[in-house]
Amino acid sequence: MAKYHFKLYIVGQTLRSQNAIANIQYICRHQLDGDYNLAIIDILEQPQIAEENKILATPTLVKEQPPPMRRVIGDLSESKKVLIGLGLKPKQVQASTHHNSHQTETDGEENGGIEHE
Amino acid sequence: MSEAIIKMAKLETGITGFDLVAKGGLPKGRTTLVTGTAGSGKTVFASQFLAEGIRKAGEAGVFVTFEETPKDIRKNVASLGWDIEGWEAEDQWTFVDASPQTQAETVVVGAYDLGALLARLEHAVHRTNAKRVAMDSLGAIFSRFDDDAKIRMELLRISAALKEMGVTSVMTAERNREYGNITRYGIEEFVADNVIILRNVLDNEKRRRTVEILKFRGTDHQKGEYPFTILPEDGFIVVPLSAIQLKQKSSNVRVTSGNEVLDKMCGGGFFRDSVILVSGATGTGKTLLVTQFIAGGAQNGERSLLFAFEESREQLFRNAQGWGVDFQKWEKEGKLKVVCEYPEVRGLEDQLLKMKEIIQEFKPNRVAVDSLSALERVATIRGFREFVISLTSFIKHGEVMGLFTNTTPTLVGGTSVTEAHISTLTDSIILLRYVEMYGEMQRGLTVLKMRGSQHDKDIRSFSIDGNGMHIGKPFRNVAGILAGQPTQVTPDEISRLSGMFQEPRSM
């Protein structure tokens, strides 16, 4: 079983939805060692799940495992803020030594969005 | 203009009195913003809008709650006698819960919208084929997201989607002050063509609730503030005062006032559907007049209803006994009902509704209120005037005869606020006055006004004994009784004055 469980709520396949999906996948791969499980829920198709979880804004990312449960709203365009919002530590040290190129890429992403995927 | 009015259909809300003020109801298929300060009744209005749709029109509704949890709302409206849970089970009432979630902290990173909320709302409307939507209260959502402009845009989008779905909706929003900006976040400019303001104003230490329709785009409505109340069993009730039409029939049938001489002074008795005001200082005999009024009715087989706000039941019955009138017997025979209460028991709007209810139930021929001025204590001036208008028109509408008493503040002469407000509303006015003559207090009575009839213009002296009221001769040789400064006039003066108006014989 994966260490991290996420649910991402979107409404339709809009550009914003696609950005959010790409961003969380990027974060998971580079910051969480790819040890994750991501369920994407389109509210247009499964409104009942959104109702049960009382989702208001989209996109909404919910971290279900490990506890505590956390929510981040938006297209997740800033990795560092997303990780902080999820209560996770950004891989600062590792990134600067072993994944230097990624760190710069992440910086670029913060300014310009999600061109990296 | 008239064309536009025909085109814009209205949806009857079913909220008592409101549809009269709104001239048919809320604009159909549109969004109406209901705004008010905290505690002004917004949530009750919004939930009653749905409840009446279910109960009266068989229309399903969706309730989007931003502030309270569905659990709280179910509990809060249980006192209004609505079974929301039962309605939910039948898909008549659906909650979309957008209340704050305590367990999950939320951080915003990047662009977002309220697409999830809209999708949930649309799903709920389509699933239950809802015709009505209530959203309560928008202020709460602004405090949860930091970007006000964004939320306004999203609300506009939701409002447009609601229009698209063809549902009639009510959105509520907070405002800071009773008279000032319409809403806190300027929602009205974006969201709604129709705005209703609920007020809960503290005026002279008295609470006064009013509803005002500020605008209905493209359609007509009554203007100004209308009082409303929220009652445990019935919920939101608007008291549409000025909206009441003057269409009561008038009767030419005369009935006795309970006093033969007074009947004569009035030109043969009171009209069967008239409203009479009896005004006088304390102890001038107002309650006696009321007692005789009831006795006169009972002797003709009529039913009377007495609202007493100054004296207890025991006192009233004992006094009546003292004048040879047996209230107890009539009450047993069902000819009389006496309702005694302190005016402070409830607010005036509630009082009015309670009185109407009792009148409708008992179906009396005569209604007496002793005294009307006691009710003045619990209301603002405007509220009191509206109360009197409403009660008067209700009584006349049912073709019931009404007798109101009014206590003047000073012993001799004088008028009161009550009089100034209601004298034009009543058909007849009888004044009872103290007259001081030769160091002795006497009582005087005059019929000041008798709509649609001749009447005796004299001021007559009267006395009270164990058999009731005895009206005697007119005061002669006295002037200034009504002004409160009676002065003796010599006979010479009288003949000189009347001489001035005689036509000279020689001409």
Side-chain angles (χ1 to χ4, degrees):
Chain A
M1 204 169 118
K3 187 177 175 191
Y4 299 100
H5 282 241
F6 295 111
K7 263 193 189 135
L8 180 66
Y9 293 89
I10 55 167
V11 174
Q13 292 297 325
T14 60
L15 183 64
R16 188 173 288 156
S17 305
Q18 286 164 9
N19 285 353
I21 295 168
N23 284 337
I24 184 61
Q25 283 173 342
Y26 177 84
I27 292 166
C28 287
R29 238 174 272 143
H30 294 100
Q31 297 277 338
L32 304 175
D33 304 323
D35 189 11
Y36 71 100
N37 184 323
L38 174 67
I40 294 166
I41 291 156
D42 187 342
I43 299 173
L44 292 182
E45 285 161 16
Q46 296 171 284
Q48 209 49 49
I49 299 180
E51 190 60 53
E52 281 157 20
N53 293 288
K54 303 181 172 88
I55 305 299
L56 273 193
T58 36
T60 293
L61 178 70
V62 182
K63 186 194 75 174
E64 298 194 322
Q65 288 294 335
M69 191 196 261
R70 288 293 179 99
R71 288 183 177 196
V72 177
I73 289 168
D75 62 10
L76 315 174
S77 53
E78 293 176 58
S79 300
K80 222 187 281 177
K81 279 196 185 173
V82 173
L83 288 166
I84 294 167
L86 293 173
L88 303 172
K89 247 192 204 143
K91 279 188 178 176
Q92 280 295 355
V93 187
Q94 275 185 340
S96 60
T97 51
H98 301 289
H99 305 278
N100 217 345
S101 57
H102 276 311
Q103 186 59 36
T104 22
E105 213 177 307
T106 314
D107 285 344
E109 168 205 325
E110 279 178 15
N111 299 327
I114 51 93
E115 275 79 28
H116 57 84
E117 278 286 296
Chain B
M1 185 69 187
S2 61
E3 223 172 284
I5 290 167
I6 293 162
K7 269 184 202 158
M8 180 73 78
K10 296 255 181 96
L11 178 88
E12 255 183 63
T13 60
I15 296 172
T16 312
F18 178 79
D19 293 328
L20 213 60
V21 175
K23 291 200 175 168
L26 295 178
K28 199 172 184 170
R30 300 299 163 101
T31 298
T32 302
L33 184 71
V34 177
T35 137
T37 52
S40 58
K42 299 185 296 295
T43 305
V44 177
F45 186 92
S47 41
Q48 189 152 4
F49 171 65
L50 293 196
E52 299 299 0
I54 294 167
R55 293 198 296 190
K56 292 184 180 160
E59 295 173 340
V62 173
F63 196 103
V64 185
T65 172
F66 293 107
E67 214 164 4
E68 293 170 281
T69 61
K71 202 173 141 199
D72 285 341
I73 292 174
R74 281 186 207 112
K75 206 167 68 191
N76 294 346
V77 303
S79 65
L80 298 172
W82 307 335
D83 176 22
I84 290 190
E85 254 172 316
W87 289 334
E88 280 180 283
E90 293 165 7
D91 277 343
Q92 298 267 47
W93 180 301
T94 309
F95 274 112
V96 171
D97 183 3
S99 61
Q101 300 300 304
T102 44
Q103 81 277 15
E105 246 180 88
T106 304
V107 178
V108 177
V109 182
Y112 64 93
D113 55 42
L114 295 183
L117 175 65
L118 179 56
R120 286 165 64 193
L121 175 56
E122 281 179 328
H123 171 68
V125 168
H126 288 141
R127 189 175 62 82
T128 62
N129 192 23
K131 296 278 177 277
R132 301 180 183 211
V133 169
M135 302 178 81
D136 178 69
S137 123
L138 298 183
I141 197 166
F142 281 93
S143 57
R144 302 236 303 274
F145 297 98
D146 47 5
D147 190 350
D148 286 2
K150 172 106 212 158
I151 299 299
R152 271 199 290 269
M153 277 306 296
E154 288 301 300
L155 288 175
L156 180 63
R157 196 156 74 97
I158 290 173
S159 160
L162 288 169
K163 199 186 263 183
E164 191 81 7
M165 287 186 267
V167 295
T168 307
S169 56
V170 166
M171 290 186 181
T172 70
E174 287 260 320
R175 61 201 305 240
N176 291 336
R177 278 172 299 163
E178 294 298 356
Y179 296 90
N181 290 345
I182 294 176
T183 58
R184 201 149 151 190
Y185 296 96
I187 303 160
E188 70 282 356
E189 294 163 31
F190 285 81
V191 175
D193 292 338
N194 316 302
V195 177
I196 294 170
I197 299 179
L198 304 181
R199 290 194 177 89
N200 185 12
V201 185
L202 191 62
D203 184 4
N204 281 329
E205 300 179 6
K206 290 152 197 158
R207 281 272 167 211
R208 185 176 141 80
R209 290 178 183 277
T210 63
V211 53
E212 178 191 7
I213 298 173
L214 191 70
K215 60 170 180 178
F216 271 0
R217 187 160 292 170
T219 176
D220 203 13
H221 58 85
Q222 300 280 356
K223 276 111 193 144
E225 293 181 32
Y226 290 84
F228 75 88
T229 181
I230 297 170
L231 292 183
E233 287 294 308
D234 313 276
F236 203 99
I237 295 179
V238 182
V239 188
L241 300 164
S242 332
I244 296 166
Q245 287 167 328
L246 282 170
K247 60 180 176 192
Q248 60 267 1
K249 287 172 265 175
S250 74
S251 169
N252 282 325
V253 180
R254 303 241 189 191
V255 287
T256 179
S257 66
N259 185 303
E260 233 173 276
V261 186
L262 183 58
D263 285 349
K264 264 184 215 149
M265 288 177 74
C266 292
F270 296 152
F271 288 115
R272 202 180 54 190
D273 58 355
S274 60
V275 171
I276 302 114
L277 178 70
V278 177
S279 170
T282 174
T284 42
K286 295 187 299 297
T287 305
L288 170 57
L289 217 68
V290 168
T291 307
Q292 293 195 328
F293 175 75
I294 290 167
Q299 274 150 16
N300 290 343
E302 293 178 33
R303 290 150 69 84
S304 300
L305 178 59
L306 169 60
F307 292 102
F309 296 107
E310 282 183 340
E311 284 171 294
S312 74
R313 220 182 145 74
E314 285 69 30
Q315 268 177 307
L316 278 168
F317 280 53
R318 195 192 59 210
N319 292 348
Q321 203 89 53
W323 296 313
V325 175
D326 194 352
F327 273 2
Q328 212 132 26
K329 183 179 135 223
W330 287 329
E331 204 165 43
K332 254 189 219 137
E333 290 171 8
K335 283 180 183 168
L336 172 69
K337 186 181 173 78
V338 180
V339 180
C340 287
E341 239 173 15
Y342 277 111
E344 282 80 5
V345 169
R346 55 178 65 86
L348 211 50
E349 282 83 14
D350 294 8
Q351 186 67 259
L352 175 65
L353 293 168
K354 175 99 191 289
M355 287 169 82
K356 281 183 175 179
E357 207 181 286
I358 296 173
I359 291 169
Q360 258 164 348
E361 218 169 81
F362 188 68
K363 293 189 179 63
N365 305 93
R366 299 176 175 216
V367 173
V369 179
D370 186 30
S371 72
L372 208 53
S373 37
L375 291 170
E376 208 178 284
R377 293 205 298 265
V378 296
T380 60
I381 289 175
R382 194 177 153 190
F384 182 68
R385 185 179 164 77
E386 282 166 351
F387 167 81
V388 175
I389 295 174
S390 186
L391 183 64
T392 311
S393 58
F394 182 77
I395 286 179
K396 287 180 151 249
H397 212 76
E399 288 181 49
V400 178
M401 183 157 63
L403 184 81
F404 302 157
T405 68
N406 169 48
T407 308
T408 51
T410 52
L411 279 187
V412 283
T415 54
S416 71
V417 182
T418 314
E419 250 168 77
H421 280 313
I422 65 178
S423 52
T424 52
L425 302 169
T426 56
D427 299 300
S428 308
I429 299 176
I430 296 167
L431 296 184
L432 304 178
R433 291 283 185 266
Y434 284 118
V435 183
E436 189 196 336
M437 280 179 69
Y438 306 113
E440 188 192 36
M441 271 299 193
Q442 297 196 9
R443 292 185 176 94
L445 177 150
T446 186
V447 178
L448 194 67
K449 167 177 149 185
M450 184 83 194
R451 197 170 273 169
S453 167
Q454 281 297 320
H455 63 90
D456 191 317
K457 270 80 171 181
D458 288 333
I459 302 173
R460 290 170 180 255
S461 74
F462 70 93
S463 61
I464 297 172
D465 65 14
N467 292 319
M469 181 183 277
H470 302 280
I471 301 174
K473 287 200 172 103
F475 285 102
R476 293 291 178 215
N477 311 349
V478 186
I481 293 173
L482 291 185
Q485 289 165 321
T487 47
Q488 273 78 45
V489 187
T490 59
D492 298 355
E493 181 77 348
I494 294 171
S495 53
R496 192 185 69 80
L497 281 170
S498 48
M500 283 167 67
F501 295 97
Q502 266 170 16
E503 288 179 41
R505 257 178 230 158
S506 56
M507 295 279 286

